[in-house]
Amino acid sequence: MTSRQLVFDLPARTALGREDFFVSPANAQAVALIEGWRDWPARKLVLAGPRGAGKTHLVHVWAALTGAPIVAAGDLGGADIDALAAGPVAVEDADGIAGHAEAEAALFHLHNLVLAEGHTLLVSAAVPPRHWGLALPDLASRMEAMLLARLGPPDDALLAAVLAKLFADRQLAPAPDCVPYLARRIERTFDAARATVAEIDARALATGRAITRQLAAEVLDNRGH
């Protein structure tokens, strides 16, 4: 499945060689910052967005561009910080370590060492650093000083492209009006798109019916019961 086979005129990028990353107005600015990583002020950036907005995809895109390892912030307390700081590095879910002294201290050390070595740091979180509730003041000030890239929930075009690919991955061919219908009605997250396609696939298999707008509507209606 390539992006040329989609009916949506959206460019595609590959995350870890497994999934296409679709660019739309909802994430275009963040994508541009990720691709322009060599120009980050002070060589560091925070990527913030809600669950399902595509943070992990973009972190992997950046890791592929830079050769950076990816480490969960919660694992930093037991990590070899000197080894991680030997090149660019990505830290995921940094907002989850608030109040964990060992992990906060490790992220502070990693931040300082990566930059001192002349490398680049990408940090992801659900919200901007000022909302993390970090207990270590020096870490909080450094995180809040980082360039911020925001990801919003996927817009209709992006959600439609993702839905189309999810159907294609299952070798399903929904009616032409099915995907636009779903994109306007489901929750605006990639997780919701995956769950919806899985439910529709199961319903179609169980009933022997084609995947139409009517079938999709029945699946969505059943969620309320």
Side-chain angles (χ1 to χ4, degrees), residues 8-36:
F8 304 95
D9 186 21
L10 293 171
R13 286 163 177 78
T14 300
L16 289 179
R18 295 197 309 264
E19 294 181 277
D20 292 328
F21 190 92
F22 298 96
V23 181
S24 83
N27 58 31
Q29 184 178 29
V31 172
L33 285 170
I34 289 294
E35 293 183 333

mmCIF file of all heavy atoms in Angstrom, residues 8-36:
data_model
loop_
_atom_site.group_PDB
_atom_site.id
_atom_site.type_symbol
_atom_site.label_atom_id
_atom_site.label_comp_id
_atom_site.label_asym_id
_atom_site.label_seq_id
_atom_site.Cartn_x
_atom_site.Cartn_y
_atom_site.Cartn_z
ATOM 1 N N PHE A 8 -6.811 10.509 -1.314
ATOM 2 C CA PHE A 8 -6.591 11.796 -0.674
ATOM 3 C C PHE A 8 -5.234 12.331 -1.079
ATOM 4 O O PHE A 8 -4.227 11.658 -0.968
ATOM 5 C CB PHE A 8 -6.681 11.662 0.852
ATOM 6 C CG PHE A 8 -7.987 11.079 1.293
ATOM 7 C CD1 PHE A 8 -8.100 9.721 1.524
ATOM 8 C CD2 PHE A 8 -9.102 11.879 1.421
ATOM 9 C CE1 PHE A 8 -9.305 9.173 1.902
ATOM 10 C CE2 PHE A 8 -10.310 11.333 1.806
ATOM 11 C CZ PHE A 8 -10.409 9.980 2.042
ATOM 12 N N ASP A 9 -5.215 13.561 -1.563
ATOM 13 C CA ASP A 9 -3.988 14.162 -2.060
ATOM 14 C C ASP A 9 -3.162 14.700 -0.898
ATOM 15 O O ASP A 9 -3.044 15.894 -0.690
ATOM 16 C CB ASP A 9 -4.323 15.288 -3.040
ATOM 17 C CG ASP A 9 -3.074 15.850 -3.704
ATOM 18 O OD1 ASP A 9 -2.048 15.143 -3.729
ATOM 19 O OD2 ASP A 9 -3.122 16.986 -4.195
ATOM 20 N N LEU A 10 -2.596 13.793 -0.114
ATOM 21 C CA LEU A 10 -1.787 14.154 1.037
ATOM 22 C C LEU A 10 -0.436 13.458 0.920
ATOM 23 O O LEU A 10 -0.375 12.284 0.585
ATOM 24 C CB LEU A 10 -2.460 13.706 2.349
ATOM 25 C CG LEU A 10 -3.761 14.408 2.722
ATOM 26 C CD1 LEU A 10 -4.395 13.699 3.901
ATOM 27 C CD2 LEU A 10 -3.497 15.859 3.067
ATOM 28 N N PRO A 11 0.651 14.188 1.185
ATOM 29 C CA PRO A 11 1.956 13.534 1.153
ATOM 30 C C PRO A 11 2.068 12.523 2.278
ATOM 31 O O PRO A 11 1.380 12.616 3.282
ATOM 32 C CB PRO A 11 2.942 14.699 1.360
ATOM 33 C CG PRO A 11 2.135 15.743 2.059
ATOM 34 C CD PRO A 11 0.736 15.608 1.550
ATOM 35 N N ALA A 12 2.934 11.535 2.090
ATOM 36 C CA ALA A 12 3.086 10.489 3.103
ATOM 37 C C ALA A 12 4.545 10.350 3.492
ATOM 38 O O ALA A 12 5.448 10.532 2.683
ATOM 39 C CB ALA A 12 2.573 9.154 2.576
ATOM 40 N N ARG A 13 4.740 10.039 4.771
ATOM 41 C CA ARG A 13 6.071 9.710 5.257
ATOM 42 C C ARG A 13 5.977 8.392 5.999
ATOM 43 O O ARG A 13 4.932 8.046 6.525
ATOM 44 C CB ARG A 13 6.597 10.824 6.175
ATOM 45 C CG ARG A 13 7.002 12.058 5.381
ATOM 46 C CD ARG A 13 7.116 13.275 6.270
ATOM 47 N NE ARG A 13 7.564 14.414 5.503
ATOM 48 C CZ ARG A 13 6.787 15.135 4.704
ATOM 49 N NH1 ARG A 13 5.515 14.817 4.557
ATOM 50 N NH2 ARG A 13 7.269 16.152 4.025
ATOM 51 N N THR A 14 7.074 7.691 6.065
ATOM 52 C CA THR A 14 7.052 6.373 6.693
ATOM 53 C C THR A 14 7.626 6.447 8.094
ATOM 54 O O THR A 14 8.724 6.948 8.292
ATOM 55 C CB THR A 14 7.856 5.367 5.853
ATOM 56 O OG1 THR A 14 7.261 5.290 4.564
ATOM 57 C CG2 THR A 14 7.849 3.995 6.505
ATOM 58 N N ALA A 15 6.895 5.920 9.062
ATOM 59 C CA ALA A 15 7.377 5.821 10.437
ATOM 60 C C ALA A 15 7.859 4.402 10.678
ATOM 61 O O ALA A 15 7.094 3.462 10.590
ATOM 62 C CB ALA A 15 6.257 6.177 11.415
ATOM 63 N N LEU A 16 9.153 4.255 10.951
ATOM 64 C CA LEU A 16 9.756 2.938 11.202
ATOM 65 C C LEU A 16 9.541 1.958 10.058
ATOM 66 O O LEU A 16 9.631 0.750 10.250
ATOM 67 C CB LEU A 16 9.190 2.331 12.501
ATOM 68 C CG LEU A 16 9.633 2.979 13.808
ATOM 69 C CD1 LEU A 16 8.971 2.282 14.981
ATOM 70 C CD2 LEU A 16 11.142 2.920 13.947
ATOM 71 N N GLY A 17 9.231 2.452 8.863
ATOM 72 C CA GLY A 17 8.996 1.583 7.723
ATOM 73 C C GLY A 17 7.702 0.800 7.814
ATOM 74 O O GLY A 17 7.452 -0.073 7.003
ATOM 75 N N ARG A 18 6.851 1.112 8.802
ATOM 76 C CA ARG A 18 5.639 0.322 8.995
ATOM 77 C C ARG A 18 4.379 1.091 8.602
ATOM 78 O O ARG A 18 3.436 0.530 8.087
ATOM 79 C CB ARG A 18 5.513 -0.123 10.456
ATOM 80 C CG ARG A 18 6.595 -1.060 10.924
ATOM 81 C CD ARG A 18 6.191 -1.767 12.195
ATOM 82 N NE ARG A 18 5.729 -0.869 13.219
ATOM 83 C CZ ARG A 18 6.488 -0.389 14.199
ATOM 84 N NH1 ARG A 18 7.762 -0.719 14.238
ATOM 85 N NH2 ARG A 18 5.993 0.409 15.104
ATOM 86 N N GLU A 19 4.340 2.374 8.911
ATOM 87 C CA GLU A 19 3.128 3.143 8.691
ATOM 88 C C GLU A 19 3.432 4.430 7.936
ATOM 89 O O GLU A 19 4.479 5.025 8.111
ATOM 90 C CB GLU A 19 2.454 3.497 10.028
ATOM 91 C CG GLU A 19 1.929 2.297 10.786
ATOM 92 C CD GLU A 19 1.258 2.731 12.078
ATOM 93 O OE1 GLU A 19 1.974 2.945 13.059
ATOM 94 O OE2 GLU A 19 0.033 2.859 12.074
ATOM 95 N N ASP A 20 2.499 4.862 7.131
ATOM 96 C CA ASP A 20 2.623 6.153 6.461
ATOM 97 C C ASP A 20 2.182 7.252 7.414
ATOM 98 O O ASP A 20 1.192 7.108 8.113
ATOM 99 C CB ASP A 20 1.755 6.200 5.211
ATOM 100 C CG ASP A 20 2.260 5.258 4.129
ATOM 101 O OD1 ASP A 20 3.476 5.046 4.045
ATOM 102 O OD2 ASP A 20 1.423 4.730 3.387
ATOM 103 N N PHE A 21 2.943 8.330 7.420
ATOM 104 C CA PHE A 21 2.564 9.479 8.231
ATOM 105 C C PHE A 21 1.991 10.532 7.293
ATOM 106 O O PHE A 21 2.687 11.048 6.434
ATOM 107 C CB PHE A 21 3.768 10.039 8.988
ATOM 108 C CG PHE A 21 3.380 11.073 10.007
ATOM 109 C CD1 PHE A 21 3.125 10.702 11.313
ATOM 110 C CD2 PHE A 21 3.225 12.401 9.651
ATOM 111 C CE1 PHE A 21 2.737 11.637 12.255
ATOM 112 C CE2 PHE A 21 2.839 13.340 10.579
ATOM 113 C CZ PHE A 21 2.590 12.952 11.878
ATOM 114 N N PHE A 22 0.729 10.871 7.450
ATOM 115 C CA PHE A 22 0.048 11.794 6.556
ATOM 116 C C PHE A 22 0.103 13.213 7.105
ATOM 117 O O PHE A 22 -0.139 13.442 8.280
ATOM 118 C CB PHE A 22 -1.404 11.369 6.358
ATOM 119 C CG PHE A 22 -1.535 10.016 5.733
ATOM 120 C CD1 PHE A 22 -1.723 8.896 6.523
ATOM 121 C CD2 PHE A 22 -1.433 9.853 4.367
ATOM 122 C CE1 PHE A 22 -1.818 7.637 5.955
ATOM 123 C CE2 PHE A 22 -1.517 8.610 3.792
ATOM 124 C CZ PHE A 22 -1.717 7.499 4.587
ATOM 125 N N VAL A 23 0.417 14.143 6.223
ATOM 126 C CA VAL A 23 0.546 15.536 6.616
ATOM 127 C C VAL A 23 -0.721 16.299 6.255
ATOM 128 O O VAL A 23 -1.237 16.181 5.142
ATOM 129 C CB VAL A 23 1.759 16.200 5.935
ATOM 130 C CG1 VAL A 23 1.896 17.658 6.362
ATOM 131 C CG2 VAL A 23 3.031 15.437 6.269
ATOM 132 N N SER A 24 -1.239 17.073 7.204
ATOM 133 C CA SER A 24 -2.407 17.910 6.973
ATOM 134 C C SER A 24 -2.213 19.198 7.751
ATOM 135 O O SER A 24 -1.237 19.333 8.498
ATOM 136 C CB SER A 24 -3.683 17.197 7.437
ATOM 137 O OG SER A 24 -3.873 17.372 8.825
ATOM 138 N N PRO A 25 -3.123 20.171 7.618
ATOM 139 C CA PRO A 25 -2.976 21.399 8.409
ATOM 140 C C PRO A 25 -2.895 21.158 9.912
ATOM 141 O O PRO A 25 -2.340 21.981 10.643
ATOM 142 C CB PRO A 25 -4.235 22.189 8.039
ATOM 143 C CG PRO A 25 -4.531 21.772 6.635
ATOM 144 C CD PRO A 25 -4.203 20.295 6.611
ATOM 145 N N ALA A 26 -3.414 20.018 10.397
ATOM 146 C CA ALA A 26 -3.399 19.735 11.829
ATOM 147 C C ALA A 26 -1.995 19.467 12.360
ATOM 148 O O ALA A 26 -1.730 19.654 13.546
ATOM 149 C CB ALA A 26 -4.297 18.536 12.145
ATOM 150 N N ASN A 27 -1.084 19.039 11.488
ATOM 151 C CA ASN A 27 0.254 18.689 11.975
ATOM 152 C C ASN A 27 1.384 19.241 11.119
ATOM 153 O O ASN A 27 2.551 18.967 11.389
ATOM 154 C CB ASN A 27 0.397 17.156 12.074
ATOM 155 C CG ASN A 27 0.163 16.454 10.746
ATOM 156 O OD1 ASN A 27 0.446 17.003 9.688
ATOM 157 N ND2 ASN A 27 -0.345 15.238 10.808
ATOM 158 N N ALA A 28 1.053 20.038 10.102
ATOM 159 C CA ALA A 28 2.066 20.481 9.141
ATOM 160 C C ALA A 28 3.184 21.284 9.794
ATOM 161 O O ALA A 28 4.364 21.120 9.445
ATOM 162 C CB ALA A 28 1.411 21.300 8.030
ATOM 163 N N GLN A 29 2.844 22.155 10.744
ATOM 164 C CA GLN A 29 3.874 22.968 11.386
ATOM 165 C C GLN A 29 4.828 22.094 12.197
ATOM 166 O O GLN A 29 6.048 22.275 12.147
ATOM 167 C CB GLN A 29 3.240 24.030 12.278
ATOM 168 C CG GLN A 29 4.270 24.963 12.901
ATOM 169 C CD GLN A 29 3.639 26.040 13.758
ATOM 170 O OE1 GLN A 29 2.580 25.846 14.333
ATOM 171 N NE2 GLN A 29 4.291 27.190 13.848
ATOM 172 N N ALA A 30 4.272 21.127 12.931
ATOM 173 C CA ALA A 30 5.114 20.230 13.717
ATOM 174 C C ALA A 30 6.006 19.393 12.813
ATOM 175 O O ALA A 30 7.187 19.178 13.105
ATOM 176 C CB ALA A 30 4.255 19.331 14.599
ATOM 177 N N VAL A 31 5.457 18.911 11.697
ATOM 178 C CA VAL A 31 6.251 18.124 10.752
ATOM 179 C C VAL A 31 7.398 18.962 10.190
ATOM 180 O O VAL A 31 8.540 18.494 10.075
ATOM 181 C CB VAL A 31 5.361 17.585 9.610
ATOM 182 C CG1 VAL A 31 6.214 16.936 8.521
ATOM 183 C CG2 VAL A 31 4.348 16.581 10.145
ATOM 184 N N ALA A 32 7.106 20.212 9.852
ATOM 185 C CA ALA A 32 8.148 21.089 9.320
ATOM 186 C C ALA A 32 9.266 21.297 10.339
ATOM 187 O O ALA A 32 10.454 21.314 9.984
ATOM 188 C CB ALA A 32 7.545 22.429 8.919
ATOM 189 N N LEU A 33 8.911 21.432 11.610
ATOM 190 C CA LEU A 33 9.933 21.599 12.641
ATOM 191 C C LEU A 33 10.757 20.327 12.822
ATOM 192 O O LEU A 33 11.978 20.386 13.011
ATOM 193 C CB LEU A 33 9.282 21.995 13.969
ATOM 194 C CG LEU A 33 8.800 23.441 14.060
ATOM 195 C CD1 LEU A 33 7.949 23.654 15.302
ATOM 196 C CD2 LEU A 33 9.993 24.394 14.065
ATOM 197 N N ILE A 34 10.094 19.176 12.768
ATOM 198 C CA ILE A 34 10.817 17.908 12.887
ATOM 199 C C ILE A 34 11.804 17.751 11.732
ATOM 200 O O ILE A 34 12.970 17.380 11.927
ATOM 201 C CB ILE A 34 9.834 16.727 12.930
ATOM 202 C CG1 ILE A 34 9.065 16.712 14.262
ATOM 203 C CG2 ILE A 34 10.552 15.402 12.698
ATOM 204 C CD1 ILE A 34 9.925 16.426 15.478
ATOM 205 N N GLU A 35 11.355 18.053 10.530
ATOM 206 C CA GLU A 35 12.230 17.899 9.360
ATOM 207 C C GLU A 35 13.332 18.957 9.336
ATOM 208 O O GLU A 35 14.402 18.725 8.787
ATOM 209 C CB GLU A 35 11.403 17.953 8.089
ATOM 210 C CG GLU A 35 10.459 16.757 7.945
ATOM 211 C CD GLU A 35 9.682 16.769 6.649
ATOM 212 O OE1 GLU A 35 9.461 17.867 6.100
ATOM 213 O OE2 GLU A 35 9.292 15.685 6.190
ATOM 214 N N GLY A 36 13.058 20.107 9.962
ATOM 215 C CA GLY A 36 14.055 21.171 10.002
ATOM 216 C C GLY A 36 14.845 21.180 11.303
ATOM 217 O O GLY A 36 15.263 22.232 11.780
#
